[in-house]
Amino acid sequence: MVVLGLETSCDETSIAILDKGIVRANAVYTQSIHSRYGGVVPEMASRAHLQKIDRLCRVVFDEQAIGLDKIDLIAVTDRPGLAGALLVGISFAMGLSCAGAKPVIGVNHLEGHIASVTLQHPELAFPFLALVVSGGHTALYTVTDFGAYTLLGKTIDDAAGEAFDKIGKMLGFTYPAGRQIEQMAATYTGGNPILFPIARVEREGINFSFSGLKTAVKYYLAKQTPQFIEENKGHLCYSVQKAIIDALVRNVEAAVKLTAINRIAVVGGVACNGALRAALQSVWSSSVFFPSLVLCTDNAAMIAKAGYENYTRGIHRFPSMTPEIEENQNRSGLLKHKSGLQTDSVTAATPP
Ligand code: KG4
Ligand code: ZN
């Protein structure tokens, strides 16, 4: 089965081809326009997707020397994300579906991130724990199969990547700041972090909170001179990164204890972070799994994989034309039952 994957939920336009579960192409265009604004500007993101998606699709088809006739399934991210940005991908997918009489399936973006790890690690057996750490999401799931997730906990405010980005902005980095913070943190070799507080969330579930860290750093910086901040940037970045990593590791430890599952997948943009990888590997060594860097950040290969696995299991949701954004979706959209699919949104694959 050849699957065409489409991803436009935020600031990456991506098109992928998956053939029998193997990635043949995974073209990713990252919108650079947002860096000057310190975050993603939704309207600009939608326009940039519109400008790129058709051309990117043609390039992938040309490179692979295939056409729509060779595609068996179209998988598109339809939630959660920026409504306008999602609609570009969904409309494009629907257009291709109509033109080629191809089935089309809606994929939850977080499900895509979880599936990303399975592209390179077929040995990762179910059940496993999934730590989704990205710019928009931070959550822990038990994964018993593709399409079957139990939410163990999530952030009650900022996502881990958002914390990197917002604190990075305070420190003078451009958006997205995670990689820049990691690089700057690596210049500090003292091993003596400034102890920024990380909240323990005592509510039900293994939840996360990063907004207190952001505030603590803000007040800390307000008391320093610009020269001090500049001269100690490595130390500051090291300390911020360590606080975020410690919180993530602590909650994974709690999830392992709660579920007695010690196979862990770590996915999403923050999973690119080398210090996070090292910290998790130092505890769980070879039972912690990461996608390659290009598959951690937003990409269509992971959407194609999740769509393919769900479709072959008979889990099929027609893409929603009214993308349900986080607030309407229990934040992550992945609920405590199979695939988070509501029965009224499951329809046949036949295009109109
Ligand atoms: O998964 P992703 O591409 O988009 C979302 O679905 O949100 O993740 C982007 C996030 C950004 O917040 C970015 O700062 C963060 O991933 N990120 C990193 C690193 N690389 C990307 N955070 C920490 N260290 C990194 N090396
Ligand atoms: Zn993402």
Side-chain angles (χ1 to χ4, degrees):
M1 175 179 261
V2 181
V3 185
L4 175 69
L6 302 168
E7 158 64 37
T8 65
S9 67
C10 193
D11 57 343
E12 264 91 19
T13 315
S14 181
I15 310 262
I17 306 276
L18 197 75
D19 188 357
K20 298 184 197 76
I22 309 286
V23 182
R24 297 283 172 231
N26 186 29
V28 182
Y29 168 74
T30 300
Q31 303 171 357
S32 55
I33 186 148
H34 309 290
S35 64
R36 75 188 77 152
Y37 300 103
V40 179
V41 183
E43 173 63 13
M44 285 183 174
S46 312
R47 282 170 188 260
H49 287 307
L50 275 171
Q51 282 161 357
K52 271 283 175 305
I53 194 162
D54 182 42
R55 216 167 344 138
L56 203 61
C57 190
R58 281 172 205 273
V59 167
V60 168
F61 277 4
D62 287 351
E63 275 176 9
Q64 294 298 307
I66 61 166
L68 189 53
D69 56 318
K70 295 284 184 298
I71 302 296
D72 301 306
L73 174 69
I74 299 165
V76 60
T77 307
D78 71 341
R79 68 183 67 167
L82 303 171
L86 285 165
L87 275 175
V88 175
I90 295 168
S91 308
F92 193 76
M94 300 292 232
L96 291 180
S97 167
C98 289
K102 305 292 177 183
V104 56
I105 185 169
V107 174
N108 183 305
H109 182 78
L110 301 188
E111 224 178 334
H113 273 304
I114 293 170
S116 69
V117 75
T118 67
L119 283 164
Q120 291 156 325
H121 294 289
E123 76 277 20
L124 174 59
F126 296 109
F128 61 84
L129 295 175
L131 173 66
V132 182
V133 263
S134 70
H137 304 274
T138 296
L140 263 165
Y141 297 93
T142 304
V143 184
T144 46
D145 192 3
F146 290 104
Y149 316 94
T150 303
L151 181 66
L152 296 171
K154 60 187 167 50
T155 182
I156 59 162
D157 40 57
D158 292 346
E162 199 176 352
F164 272 110
D165 296 338
K166 287 181 174 168
I167 295 170
K169 193 175 175 184
M170 295 177 205
L171 291 169
F173 297 115
T174 54
Y175 172 86
R179 187 153 173 267
Q180 299 166 71
I181 290 187
E182 179 181 5
Q183 285 169 343
M184 186 55 80
T187 65
Y188 174 76
T189 49
N192 188 20
I194 304 159
L195 295 176
F196 292 122
I198 273 281
R200 270 185 190 277
V201 187
E202 301 293 349
R203 288 181 215 166
E204 196 188 330
I206 305 169
N207 295 315
F208 303 81
S209 168
F210 294 104
S211 68
L213 171 67
K214 184 181 62 187
T215 310
V217 175
K218 186 179 167 192
Y219 285 124
Y220 181 89
L221 294 178
K223 287 192 221 132
Q224 315 302 331
T225 62
Q227 190 191 347
F228 176 90
I229 295 171
E230 210 43 51
E231 286 169 0
N232 292 281
K233 229 177 223 185
H235 191 199
L236 283 161
C237 288
Y238 172 83
S239 307
V240 166
Q241 178 176 268
K242 182 163 175 12
I244 295 172
I245 291 173
D246 285 355
L248 296 173
V249 173
R250 185 185 70 200
N251 278 13
V252 173
E253 263 166 356
V256 169
K257 207 166 155 194
L258 181 76
T259 60
I261 299 169
N262 67 356
R263 280 181 300 280
I264 305 143
V266 186
V267 300
V270 180
C272 291
N273 189 285
L276 173 64
R277 289 179 178 232
L280 291 163
Q281 276 163 338
S282 75
V283 185
W284 291 285
S285 57
S286 60
S287 59
V288 55
F289 297 83
F290 304 91
S292 63
L293 299 192
V294 72
L295 292 175
C296 285
T297 46
D298 289 351
N299 66 88
M302 68 185 195
I303 302 303
K305 180 69 156 73
Y308 167 72
E309 297 292 352
N310 281 353
Y311 192 77
T312 52
R313 281 164 176 73
I315 306 169
H316 183 250
R317 186 184 69 236
F318 202 64
S320 167
M321 285 301 278
T322 51
E324 291 158 76
I325 40 183
E326 269 183 296
E327 286 68 29
N328 305 327
Q329 277 287 306
N330 226 357
R331 191 160 179 100
S332 72
L334 289 181
L335 307 176
K336 286 196 177 185
H337 51 79
K338 215 166 192 289
S339 197
L341 304 178
Q342 278 85 45
T343 43
D344 62 354
S345 59
V346 181
T347 65
T350 326

